[in-house]
Amino acid sequence: MTASPATELNEAVVTLLASVPTGLLIDGQWRPSASGKTFEVEDPSTGEVLLSVADAGAADGAAALDAAVAAQEEWAATSPRFRAEILRRAFDMVIARADDFALLMTLEMGKPLAEARGEVTYGAEFLRWFSEEASRSFGRYSSNPEGTAQILVQKKPVGPCLLITPWNFPLAMATRKIAPAIAAGCTMVLKPANLTPLTSHLFAQVLIEAGLPAGVLNVVSTTDAGGVTGPLIQDNRLRKLSFTGSTPVGKRLLADASANVLRTSMELGGNAPFLVFEDADLDAAVDGAMAAKLRNMGEACTAANRFLVHESVADEFATKFAAKMAAMTLGRGTEPETKVGPLIDAKSRDKVHSLVSDALADGARAVTGGAPADGPGYFYQPTVLAGVEPGARILTEEIFGPVAPIVTFKNEDEAVALANDTEYGLVAYVFTKDHNRGLRMANRIETGMMGLNAGVISNAAAPFGGVKQSGLGREGSLEGIEEYQYTQYIGFPNPNNA
């Protein structure tokens, strides 16, 4: 008699959770917190506890930084090829365990398994990309203009780094920071989000198995983020801070980092405009809107937040978009038919509903959705709102849920003005058949990234980051490793003049 799919899944979950380290990784060893405290990690689709993990305090953070500092000199002296091969082995190991990583992300974060598998592919690619970049980060050698001296420029690792990752992409946000740090020769203290620390723990264990030396990566999961990271940022041995999260928290961290003039990388909030012009292929625009809105249930800084649609096609776009949104099946991410999983917690669901309720009260109408879903878990109906007025709260705050507010515009200038009417500038999406107009939008819209007739543009080979209050620095691509290096210049007399 064969086991049922549900029984097989339950057995896989039990086996997987048993393989996840639940301690703190400090100097190559998983250990309990100094206080002995733990915290629970829940499944947002059911509210059930998955695991309890060690809850780090200030003493644990200090021990993690001590380990990173102690390992830095020897790690920086390793060859680029040595570091590259660790990253390549880690890539192979993550891909080999893709089902495990996907299931673990679905359990602790809620996204459907198909999306989680996509994140494994995306997140693992940073390991492969930076394994190749490790040995391609060159300095230069040249003569000064006068011909009297030689200029030698080399790239060196900045030193111990504090990496703070969010809950929404548990694997990709870790690999996007850890991989370039390893490639550059930096040691690290990683503070994953307490809502989704399990994937980071499993990934850290994979790095150990791939040969990463003790102390190079240290992991301190905690419910007291400020109590752990605050003292680390004040410690003059720390050399870099990389943070992905909200703009208000990023601003506070930047202020704290200024005391020691830390190198900083900040990937902060977004309020992405999605522009649909009158000449757009509406079916392609709707498909792009689905991808840009519903990826990760809308819980992404790159999610389309404001749908700006030319008045001549707004009704048709809204009707087609709403039909596709209404057809999405809500459910636990492990169910094969699920297209939209739960939001991360009750607080997030309540905020999304507050934004929708405010918009409806101000005269918007729900073309589809508009309310939390019944039953257990933190589900919200995929929602399309039409008739949203410019200036509405839902257009100024990051929604972080499966809700699409539509605003109309009359001409290109008005579209640009609406798109730029935000303090954020992470990404924008533009749908038009006019190639020249698309390039004009890239020039006129204040954004670090733009999708032209595309709803998803993230790629390890592309520089990810924003302008204005969406952050500083870039992750991925050629620029990604430079965030973990400083430039050193050595000058000496021209040997030809000796």
Side-chain angles (χ1 to χ4, degrees):
M1 182 176 180
T2 59
S4 69
T7 299
E8 291 178 352
L9 174 63
N10 289 335
E11 291 175 352
V13 168
V14 170
T15 301
L16 174 59
L17 292 178
S19 72
V20 178
T22 57
L24 308 174
L25 179 60
I26 298 177
D27 201 18
Q29 300 296 319
W30 293 101
R31 68 192 206 190
S33 64
S35 67
K37 291 181 179 179
T38 62
F39 65 92
E40 295 176 339
V41 181
E42 294 184 353
D43 180 341
S45 67
T46 63
E48 296 176 355
V49 174
L50 296 170
L51 284 174
S52 292
V53 302
D55 193 353
D60 301 303
L65 182 58
D66 288 344
V69 170
Q72 179 60 56
E73 183 175 3
E74 184 175 352
W75 176 241
T78 59
S79 70
R81 180 66 67 202
F82 178 79
R83 300 193 295 268
E85 289 176 351
I86 290 174
L87 287 170
R88 182 59 199 224
R89 284 195 295 272
F91 167 81
D92 291 336
M93 294 168 73
V94 168
I95 293 301
R97 297 193 63 180
D99 288 344
D100 284 347
F101 276 102
L103 178 56
L104 189 57
M105 280 190 284
T106 292
L107 291 172
E108 68 172 341
M109 190 268 154
K111 68 184 70 184
L113 271 172
E115 279 203 50
R117 292 189 183 101
E119 182 175 339
V120 174
T121 300
Y122 172 58
E125 190 59 30
F126 288 101
L127 301 172
R128 178 158 63 177
W129 174 266
F130 285 109
S131 74
E132 296 164 347
E133 288 301 298
S135 57
R136 296 177 184 166
S137 185
F138 305 119
R140 65 181 186 272
Y141 178 70
S142 62
S143 172
N144 70 4
E146 298 78 16
T148 58
Q150 296 300 107
I151 296 171
L152 176 63
V153 176
Q154 62 178 344
K155 301 289 186 178
K156 301 181 70 174
V158 296
C161 304
L162 172 59
L163 313 178
I164 303 176
T165 55
W167 51 262
N168 54 345
F169 291 93
L171 180 63
M173 297 302 96
T175 58
R176 202 161 75 181
K177 296 181 189 299
I178 291 171
I182 288 176
C186 296
T187 59
M188 297 150 279
V189 176
L190 171 69
K191 203 288 296 177
N194 66 294
L195 291 171
T196 58
L198 304 181
T199 303
S200 292
H201 284 219
L202 184 61
F203 175 55
Q205 181 60 35
V206 164
L207 285 171
I208 292 171
E209 294 169 7
L212 193 70
V216 175
L217 174 65
N218 305 274
V219 181
V220 285
S221 297
T222 180
T223 58
D224 183 16
V228 172
T229 63
L232 300 185
I233 294 171
Q234 295 168 11
D235 193 313
N236 60 16
R237 298 176 300 168
L238 189 72
R239 293 290 182 264
K240 178 178 173 61
L241 167 63
S242 178
F243 170 75
T244 297
S246 73
T247 293
V249 174
K251 287 180 178 180
R252 292 198 295 271
L253 291 173
L254 279 170
D256 293 342
S258 68
N260 286 329
V261 197
L262 285 180
R263 284 281 295 274
T264 57
S265 299
M266 293 280 155
E267 199 270 280
L268 307 178
N271 189 4
F274 189 103
L275 283 67
V276 182
F277 285 92
E278 67 275 17
D279 66 338
D281 179 332
L282 285 191
D283 290 332
V286 168
D287 288 342
M290 293 294 292
K293 179 73 264 182
L294 284 190
R295 185 185 183 202
N296 224 51
M297 293 78 72
E299 296 174 308
C301 56
T302 55
N305 219 53
R306 301 168 292 145
F307 289 80
L308 312 178
V309 185
H310 192 272
E311 59 185 8
S312 66
V313 296
D315 288 344
E316 184 180 357
F317 175 82
T319 299
K320 289 185 172 184
F321 190 16
K324 287 210 169 187
M325 290 279 272
M328 294 293 101
T329 303
L330 275 73
R332 193 179 187 197
T334 52
E335 298 298 324
E337 66 274 12
T338 293
K339 300 298 182 184
V340 180
L343 300 184
I344 189 63
D345 58 16
K347 180 181 177 182
S348 298
R349 182 188 58 190
D350 292 347
K351 182 199 171 184
V352 169
H353 190 50
S354 172
L355 292 172
V356 171
S357 298
D358 281 0
L360 293 175
D362 289 340
R365 62 183 177 88
V367 187
T368 189
D374 295 331
Y378 311 118
F379 294 91
Y380 201 87
Q381 298 172 355
T383 298
V384 175
L385 302 177
V388 179
E389 291 296 322
R393 179 177 163 230
I394 200 168
L395 302 176
T396 62
E397 297 185 22
E398 202 168 13
I399 300 170
F400 248 60
V403 176
I406 297 176
V407 178
T408 62
F409 64 85
K410 294 180 174 62
N411 54 53
E412 187 175 305
D413 287 340
E414 185 180 2
V416 171
L418 288 169
N420 288 337
D421 186 21
T422 175
E423 67 268 34
Y424 299 106
L426 182 62
V427 63
Y429 305 94
V430 174
F431 277 75
T432 176
K433 292 178 181 176
D434 185 337
H435 185 68
N436 287 334
R437 171 187 274 160
L439 295 181
R440 284 198 304 274
M441 291 301 98
N443 289 332
R444 298 185 68 188
I445 297 176
E446 298 163 346
T447 183
M449 303 179 287
M450 193 183 92
L452 181 55
N453 296 318
V456 176
I457 60 171
S458 298
N459 190 280
F464 188 104
V467 297
K468 300 198 288 189
Q469 293 192 31
S470 284
L472 304 166
R474 294 294 181 268
E475 294 186 312
S477 191
L478 308 178
E479 293 83 355
I481 194 171
E482 294 174 355
E483 298 287 336
Y484 294 87
Q485 297 172 319
Y486 70 91
T487 300
Q488 184 183 60
Y489 153 60
I490 305 107
F492 52 93
N494 188 337
N496 294 322
N497 297 338

